[in-house]
Amino acid sequence: MFNLFKSNPTKKLRKQLAKLQADAMFASRNGDIRKSSEISAEADKIWQEIQRIEGETKS
């Protein structure tokens, strides 16, 4: 019952992930493959963190 007011711990990370994925796409479209891969690597780290947090909350 009290979980109703508890904030989602991954909400902020998912927002960051979506922004990074969009930035990587735009960098790729502009021909900057190096920047695109750097941004994608950062997005992958955030995705792994989301998966870790969600795994802890389900256990």
Side-chain angles (χ1 to χ4, degrees), residues 16-35:
Q16 286 179 328
L17 178 64
K19 183 182 181 324
L20 286 173
Q21 288 173 333
D23 290 346
M25 179 190 63
F26 289 128
S28 179
R29 282 187 182 175
N30 290 331
D32 195 351
I33 303 302
R34 184 177 305 240
K35 184 176 181 179

Side-chain angles (χ1 to χ4, degrees), residues 13 16-17 20-21 37-53:
L13 289 174
Q16 286 179 328
L17 178 64
L20 286 173
Q21 288 173 333
S37 64
E38 290 172 357
I39 294 171
S40 293
E42 188 176 341
D44 187 46
K45 290 178 186 177
I46 291 176
W47 177 248
Q48 290 173 357
E49 181 68 16
I50 291 170
Q51 292 297 313
R52 185 189 64 79
I53 290 171

